[in-house]
Amino acid sequence: MTAQALDSIREQLMNRRYEPNVAVVNELADSLRELKPGSEVSYVDPIHDVNECRIVSLFSSTGETPDGGFITPGDDAAVARMLGLQWQLGLRPEFVMPWNVHPWFTPGEPQSKLTPEQIQAGLKPLLRLLVLIPRASVIVAHGTEANRLAGLLLKTENQLIWRRGLKTYKVRALGGRSFAGTPARQEQYLEEMRSVYADAMARTGLNPVTR
């Protein structure tokens, strides 16, 4: 696909970012951006749906600076792994909501390892997100920073967590060094992740499929 075609797709998605199924989440992104002048916050792709979402995919959001304007699992390899996993399980995108541990980033600067303070700063935005997706009762935390934020979340006394019976799963990140190793080892990593998402789906009333 040409760069011009990619730019056209991104423009179309950007024009749709306030569609009813994702408007409140992307308005949250706007409000977070205003809290830190000079920073950016990636939007949620309009393929997702606040009313249908059951599972939050929480990403550590480290690595290269995002250039597409929307939250992704990471580099191209990470995106391909996530899409393949969802296809294999029959996990439709409207049932999942992506989110970043530390929503803010500085344009042009690589996202280095998050500090404890940055992880802590991601707690309130995550809680605000959960308020907006009333049917979500599972968080799958990808990577070390996401795992730490999930742990902080469970330690809060917010009634929303207990009222929903929120469950968190801790898995590896989808890209970078987390997937270093032989093809056989990488397939093992993916199988472990598929098992987690299959369990998350069953827990939320969705039926995983086998392909």
Side-chain angles (χ1 to χ4, degrees):
M1 186 176 292
T2 67
Q4 185 176 4
L6 286 173
D7 288 342
S8 177
I9 291 172
R10 288 169 183 159
E11 183 178 359
Q12 291 174 35
L13 292 176
M14 195 64 72
N15 290 338
R16 296 173 52 210
R17 68 189 184 278
Y18 297 123
E19 289 187 351
N21 53 298
V22 289
V24 291
V25 173
N26 286 332
E27 287 165 358
L28 170 61
D30 289 335
S31 69
L32 293 173
R33 187 181 299 108
E34 292 173 359
L35 293 176
K36 294 181 181 290
S39 69
E40 284 293 332
V41 177
S42 296
Y43 290 112
V44 167
D45 190 307
I47 199 172
H48 302 288
D49 193 303
V50 294
N51 293 314
E52 295 296 332
C53 174
R54 313 293 207 282
I55 300 168
V56 174
S57 290
L58 185 63
F59 302 123
S60 292
S61 60
T62 57
E64 295 300 316
T65 300
D67 62 359
F70 294 90
I71 297 173
T72 71
D75 57 20
D76 289 345
V79 172
R81 291 179 184 120
M82 190 67 187
L83 290 174
L85 182 151
Q86 291 176 336
W87 179 82
Q88 289 173 336
L89 292 172
L91 179 54
R92 301 203 307 270
E94 62 263 34
F95 295 132
V96 185
M97 188 67 65
W99 193 249
N100 286 332
V101 171
H102 189 255
W104 303 274
F105 66 91
T106 302
E109 293 185 6
Q111 297 278 79
S112 59
K113 184 177 180 180
L114 297 177
T115 65
E117 291 76 19
Q118 287 175 313
I119 296 170
Q120 179 70 46
L123 182 57
K124 286 185 178 179
L126 179 57
L127 284 167
R128 290 177 66 181
L129 173 73
L130 290 172
V131 171
L132 301 176
I133 45 177
R135 301 179 72 179
S137 60
V138 166
I139 295 176
V140 180
H142 289 267
T144 302
E145 288 90 351
N147 293 343
R148 289 175 180 166
L149 181 57
L152 290 175
L153 179 69
L154 294 181
K155 290 178 182 178
T156 69
E157 297 180 358
N158 193 294
Q159 293 184 358
L160 176 150
I161 297 169
W162 313 117
R163 188 166 60 246
R164 292 194 198 173
L166 188 75
K167 180 174 177 60
T168 63
Y169 296 84
K170 298 180 179 182
V171 298
R172 67 180 57 243
L174 282 148
R177 289 180 295 177
S178 292
F179 261 80
T182 65
R185 181 61 60 88
Q186 292 181 21
E187 181 55 37
Q188 178 187 341
Y189 297 156
L190 284 172
E191 181 55 39
E192 291 169 354
M193 207 171 293
R194 278 193 292 268
S195 295
V196 164
Y197 271 95
D199 192 69
M201 290 176 70
R203 179 181 178 86
T204 59
L206 303 173
N207 296 317
V209 300
T210 302
R211 299 184 193 272

